[in-house]
Each structure stands twice: as structure tokens, then as C-alpha cells.
Amino acid sequence: MFGRPDMEFLKWRWKPYECELPLFNATQFLELVKGKSMAFVGDSVGRNQMNSLLCLLSHVAEPEDISGRYKTDAIYFRRWFYADYNFTLVTLWSPYLVQTSDVDPNGHSSNNLMSLHLDKADEAWVREIESFDFVIVSAGQWFFRPLIFYENDTLVGCHKCGLEGIKDLSHYYGYKMAMRTALRSLINLKGYKGVTFLRTFSPAHFENGDWNKGGSCERTKPYTKEEIKLDGYILWTYMTQVEEFIEAEREAMKRGLKLLMMNTTEIMLRRPDGHPNNYVYGHYSSKGKNVITHSDCVHWCLPGPIDTWNEFLLYLLKMESQLSSFNSKFERFV
């Protein structure tokens, strides 16, 4: 659709060791979620996964866009309804998961300084989420931007803020505390009885510069196991998330809730070929010229490697359904 000239990236699929990951089955997915609701909470990469899911399900059913029926901003909070399955699918955009505000009084820009209240979950998604059956939480790339951190309404530090007298706590600190707040806020909602999935960090693949300094992703094949390893800042960002997941899982179990991990970091690290890069053919400005701002090496092509995430999701839903069925039969037996 956007004019990417090569199709090699579509010929590769991740395969786990010593087992098979089934291809996505749209009918099976819709049967599993019949009469239920699902929300993707996080940044635009989370929305990217939801768009992948919409495409995969389109082989079986087309939903109605019901975003306009709600008072929330339809640009950031999108909602679809599959009438034949009584299934609602929603994306709630909250890139930091916690409360934020612009430091710049003139408003938001692409790389301006943001204030994060790390101990306060973003009410925009929290007040919407309590009744959902399945919630997929994710975040990542926005935490590499310049940030100021607050806790208990008190300034505690920053990341790349460049301000004198403020301690640089690194992006790991902000990421850790935001994950902690988001997961525990969800778990502690009184009426929440859903299953929560934490989708792990999705690496970007900029080469020869950052996203705003000419970086791009020109590769047309995956990395081999020998070419790249899960290490450095990607490993530490991932481990920060895993540590918070483990602690939140303990808290969830005390409440009888399910918290599951969708581990996508390492498999996506090996797919530098799966991004849109700067393919904007067919998109023109009013002057008739191609509009190219920055290369996109964060989001994923559709179809493409991101479809594997929804194969993971379907597999986890099947496991959860089988376990629930077993527990129900066991309770009746007892």
C-alpha cells in the first residue's frame, strides 16, 4: 500500500525451539473472545499490534468502528465492535502509562521535555479499563526522550533533561517506576477481574543516526543469531520490565488475578527488515512532492513480523481457556 519495493521480509517467520507455533486462526480467536472485551494500553507500537490483529481477523469478520459513540478522543482511544461475536476491541493510547505534562508552556513538540508523575497512573486509561476481560499493556520507546521525574509531587530526578541541580536517574528508573505503577494500579482496581498480558519491549533498529538525526533501517533480511545478541541497553530495558512483572505477578496472584508475559523482545531484535523505514510512496503534500519526515524504524510493517505477537496472544488465550475449563471441571468434581 505504501510502496515498499521489496517483499523478502514477508518470507521469514520466527520458529521456537523444539515446538511449533501455530499460524493465526481468526475463527478460533473470535470464538475464544466471544462475548468479551480486549484493550491494548500503551503507545503506538501497542496500537500497531492491534492493527495487526484487525487485519488478521478481517479474513473472517469486519468490525464496526464505534469510537464516535464515546466522549473520549477518537484519535487516541479507538474502539471496534464485532457484532457476530459480541466482541469489543479497544486501543487506549498512553505512551508513558503514568500521568504526564509538558514542561514547555508553548505545548508539545516531537522531542520536548516532559514531566512524568511516576507514582500516578494515567487516569485516561485507568477509568476505562475496569470492565475489560483482557488487557495488553506495553510501553518503551518514549522513555528514551528527555524526561523529568516526580514522585509524591516532588521532583526526584530526570533523564537527559540537561538542567542543573537535577540528578540524572537514567531512563531505566523512569521505566521501572512507570511499569510498577501501571501494573499495580490495574491489579488493585476493585472491580477488575480480567487477564493482563505484559508485552515486552520492542527494539528499534536505527542505523547511522538517531530517529531525528538521519537514522534509517535499510536491511532487507533478519539478523542471524551470530550477528546480534540481546545485550546492552536493550537487555537492561527488557530486564527492568521483567523484574517489575515478577513482582506484579505475585501481587496479582494474591488477588486471584492472572498476569501473563508476552515475551517479544529478542525475536524482534533480529528483525531490522520489518520496519516501514522511509517508504511513503503515494503520500503527497499539497505541492505534489513525497512527504518524508523521519524514517520509521520503530513500528512494524503490516503484514510483517508483528503478526507473530498475535500468534503468541492466541496461543496464550488457548492455554488460559483450557486451564479455566479444567479448573471448572475440577471444582464440579470436588
Side-chain angles (χ1 to χ4, degrees):
M1 177 178 169
F2 291 104
R4 178 167 176 167
D6 69 291
M7 293 291 111
E8 179 72 17
F9 73 101
L10 292 175
K11 298 177 182 178
W12 295 89
R13 182 172 180 264
W14 182 75
K15 183 183 183 305
Y17 291 115
E18 300 180 358
C19 64
E20 292 290 335
L21 179 66
L23 291 169
F24 189 85
N25 185 315
T27 301
Q28 189 176 53
F29 185 95
L30 287 167
E31 288 295 335
L32 285 168
V33 298
K34 198 170 190 175
K36 299 184 183 297
S37 56
M38 176 178 287
F40 287 83
V41 179
D43 59 19
S44 54
V45 180
R47 186 169 59 201
N48 198 178
Q49 181 182 359
M50 192 211 56
N51 286 332
S52 163
L53 183 57
L54 285 170
C55 292
L56 291 167
L57 295 177
S58 68
H59 298 289
V60 172
E62 290 289 345
E64 177 188 1
D65 187 342
I66 59 171
S67 307
R69 299 180 188 177
Y70 295 80
K71 294 180 180 179
T72 52
D73 190 330
I75 295 176
Y76 298 109
F77 285 15
R78 299 294 301 276
R79 306 168 194 263
W80 286 267
F81 181 64
Y82 290 83
D84 291 343
Y85 296 88
N86 189 27
F87 170 54
T88 303
L89 183 61
V90 174
T91 177
L92 306 176
W93 190 78
S94 181
Y96 295 108
L97 302 173
V98 295
Q99 290 184 21
T100 64
S101 60
D102 287 295
V103 174
D104 187 346
N106 296 319
H108 187 70
S109 62
S110 62
N111 201 34
N112 68 315
L113 193 58
M114 299 286 291
S115 292
L116 270 60
H117 292 267
L118 296 174
D119 55 346
K120 298 178 181 179
D122 182 1
E123 283 296 323
W125 69 264
V126 171
R127 62 172 169 259
E128 299 283 332
I129 209 70
E130 195 167 15
S131 63
F132 278 84
D133 299 290
F134 305 107
V135 178
I136 298 93
V137 178
S138 61
Q141 295 296 334
W142 285 70
F143 286 85
F144 296 108
R145 298 185 176 208
L147 302 170
I148 294 180
F149 303 137
Y150 288 85
E151 293 178 57
N152 295 318
D153 295 320
T154 302
L155 177 64
V156 295
C158 73
H159 168 59
K160 291 185 177 178
C161 65
L163 300 176
E164 291 185 12
I166 300 179
K167 184 178 180 180
D168 193 328
L169 295 174
S170 83
H171 85 277
Y172 302 115
Y173 182 82
Y175 196 47
K176 175 180 72 174
M177 298 307 296
M179 279 291 157
R180 180 177 301 178
T181 296
L183 292 174
R184 295 189 181 186
S185 295
L186 183 56
I187 290 166
N188 290 324
L189 280 174
K190 289 184 179 179
Y192 181 64
K193 294 180 173 59
V195 179
T196 306
F197 302 86
L198 177 63
R199 197 263 301 153
T200 63
F201 175 64
S202 175
H205 290 94
F206 292 100
E207 295 186 77
N208 303 313
D210 292 335
W211 69 273
N212 57 349
K213 296 180 180 178
S216 62
C217 38
E218 307 287 346
R219 296 177 186 267
T220 57
K221 291 184 180 180
Y223 287 118
T224 65
K225 289 183 293 184
E226 293 71 33
E227 285 180 303
I228 197 164
K229 304 292 182 184
L230 180 58
D231 57 17
Y233 81 93
I234 294 176
L235 173 61
W236 286 107
T237 302
Y238 164 73
M239 288 307 301
T240 298
Q241 205 172 21
V242 170
E243 288 167 6
E244 289 307 314
F245 169 83
I246 292 170
E247 291 300 319
E249 186 182 31
R250 292 193 186 112
E251 294 297 318
M253 290 177 66
K254 292 176 184 177
R255 279 207 57 210
L257 295 174
K258 295 287 182 65
L259 179 58
L260 306 174
M261 178 177 287
M262 197 182 305
N263 196 332
T264 58
T265 302
E266 188 167 8
I267 68 165
M268 302 312 283
L269 179 62
R270 292 178 56 189
R271 294 306 307 267
D273 56 322
H275 301 286
N277 194 26
N278 57 4
Y279 300 113
V280 293
Y281 301 101
H283 288 246
Y284 299 96
S285 68
S286 59
K287 296 181 180 180
K289 297 180 180 180
N290 277 338
V291 180
I292 301 177
T293 52
H294 305 294
S295 296
D296 187 351
C297 305
V298 171
H299 302 94
W300 303 92
C301 292
L302 298 176
I306 195 173
D307 294 330
T308 299
W309 301 3
N310 289 314
E311 292 172 347
F312 283 178
L313 179 58
L314 174 55
Y315 189 84
L316 291 170
L317 287 173
K318 286 192 291 186
M319 287 179 57
E320 183 59 30
S321 176
Q322 291 166 2
L323 183 60
S324 297
S325 177
F326 173 80
N327 289 338
S328 178
K329 290 177 182 177
F330 181 75
E331 287 172 2
R332 287 200 299 270
F333 176 76
V334 173

